[in-house]
Amino acid sequence: MGARLQNNEVVMSEETALELVLPARSAELPGGLAVRRALPRRQRRMVGPFVFVDQMGPAPLAADREVTVLPHPHIGLSTITYLFEGEGLHRDSLGTVQRILPGEVNWMTAGRGIVHSERLRAGASGRVFGAQIWVALPRALEECAPSFEHYDAAAVPVIDADGVRTSVIAGSWSGATSRVRVSSPLFYAESVVARGATLLVAPEYPERALYVVEGELRVGSRSLVAGDLAVLRSDAAVRCHGVDAARVLLLGGAPLDEPRFISWNFVSSSRERLRQAAEDWRQQRFGRIDGETAYIPLPEDGSAPVNYP
């Protein structure tokens, strides 16, 4: 069965609605926390302005332990940190010290350069569990002044209907708009789908993807399980049925003006700018975080590749 018209929208109820499905790769943060990395991939570098998707945990952690990601730099992007469980502490070279709890949002814009560290601890559940996403900046903002903004859970609107609870973390989605300030047209949301419920992903943006954090969804006869990133075809609403209770990240937006390149923690439209950032970090010309002396060194395997494999 192919596409059909419903409420003046094309609905693709079968797997033809899926442009590409990629299982996330296993990786590890410098502090030792296991992650699933869904973007970037050789088959798909970006979805809208999103260039990086990491799922952190779920990982058990003793109450007296923490995962420490030492100071490291960024340019040309914004990072979005969002937790499902546990708590974090952000520190940066602007002097920011900010705790983050589940449902809150840390939005850090690197612009021409920032250094930050992250510490994660388990909450009442005894686990660390969350996501960190990178959004590439429009070219006009790539070298903007760095900034950091924290938003409490009240900034994130919630849509609760028919067994699907969606939190709009950033941007606008399904008539709701987050108070988080963004740099380009985008959406980023968390949907919790009850078993047997249906998640409708409408064609509100030119590029869209969903990432299954846990549980299982079905699109037509195609099963999407934890760790799957599904890039959706444009101009069609997609119905995803909850086989089991599932947690899903929805993301996308308008594509940027030109391609972006990634080298280690740096994002830019210019390869030369990436090389300069690498040399600046090697020579420790970035800002420093008060009270922190250790840091993550630049990978010495050729100054890090221009793009992830």
Side-chain angles (χ1 to χ4, degrees):
M1 180 176 167
R4 67 182 188 276
L5 192 66
Q6 180 172 304
N7 297 328
N8 296 319
E9 284 186 334
V10 177
V11 177
M12 290 189 176
S13 60
E14 296 292 336
E15 57 272 17
T16 53
L18 308 178
E19 178 182 316
L20 185 66
V21 177
L22 296 170
R25 296 178 295 135
S26 296
E28 186 175 290
L29 294 181
L33 181 65
V35 299
R36 285 174 169 162
R37 184 156 298 160
L39 280 179
R41 303 296 294 277
R42 185 179 300 279
Q43 301 94 323
R44 185 78 184 208
R45 301 293 189 188
M46 302 175 66
V47 177
F50 291 85
V51 294
F52 185 93
V53 175
D54 256 12
Q55 174 191 330
M56 305 179 292
L61 197 66
D64 60 347
R65 291 193 57 218
E66 68 178 18
V67 174
T68 300
V69 182
L70 291 174
H72 57 282
H74 292 286
I75 68 164
L77 57 82
S78 292
T79 65
I80 314 169
T81 303
Y82 184 79
L83 298 179
F84 312 125
E85 299 176 30
E87 63 181 73
L89 182 69
H90 165 98
R91 303 183 74 217
D92 64 39
S93 51
L94 301 176
T96 308
V97 179
Q98 179 62 57
R99 184 185 185 209
I100 182 171
L101 296 173
E104 300 178 344
V105 181
N106 276 359
W107 183 288
M108 184 185 76
T109 296
R112 60 177 174 259
I114 196 169
V115 176
H116 74 137
S117 66
E118 298 165 285
R119 288 168 173 80
L120 297 168
R121 301 181 68 89
S125 69
R127 304 194 305 179
V128 170
F129 193 15
Q132 189 173 95
I133 309 292
W134 297 358
V135 178
L137 294 172
R139 185 163 186 178
L141 297 177
E142 283 187 304
E143 297 297 322
C144 69
S147 62
F148 177 85
E149 295 171 274
H150 172 79
Y151 299 87
D152 62 23
V156 178
V158 176
I159 306 165
D160 201 344
D162 301 323
V164 179
R165 181 178 176 86
T166 298
S167 301
V168 183
I169 301 165
S172 297
W173 180 251
S174 195
T177 299
S178 167
R179 296 211 310 263
V180 174
R181 185 168 61 91
V182 299
S183 302
S184 63
L186 60 81
F187 74 100
Y188 176 38
E190 173 204 11
S191 286
V192 177
V193 184
R195 181 177 182 179
T198 298
L199 169 65
L200 175 66
V201 187
E204 297 186 29
Y205 293 85
E207 296 186 359
R208 299 163 298 151
L210 64 86
Y211 173 74
V212 183
V213 176
E214 55 186 352
E216 181 181 355
L217 298 175
R218 190 172 297 279
V219 177
S221 62
R222 179 64 185 264
S223 177
L224 300 175
V225 298
D228 281 346
L229 176 77
V231 180
L232 309 181
R233 296 191 183 280
S234 61
D235 302 324
V238 179
R239 293 188 181 277
C240 308
H241 303 282
V243 177
D244 292 321
R247 186 190 306 270
V248 184
L249 295 178
L250 307 172
L251 56 93
L256 292 182
D257 39 11
E258 57 188 276
R260 293 299 185 271
F261 306 105
I262 301 178
S263 176
W264 192 41
N265 296 321
F266 308 129
V267 174
S268 179
S269 57
S270 163
R271 287 184 169 90
E272 179 54 39
R273 181 68 179 95
L274 296 179
R275 287 188 281 268
Q276 181 62 57
E279 185 60 22
D280 287 344
W281 184 244
R282 182 182 286 111
Q283 300 299 328
Q284 285 297 286
R285 292 193 285 255
F286 277 77
R288 294 181 179 273
I289 301 174
D290 290 343
E292 299 206 32
T293 55
Y295 60 89
I296 299 174
L298 184 78
E300 293 299 336
D301 52 353
S303 297
V306 170
N307 269 311
Y308 285 95

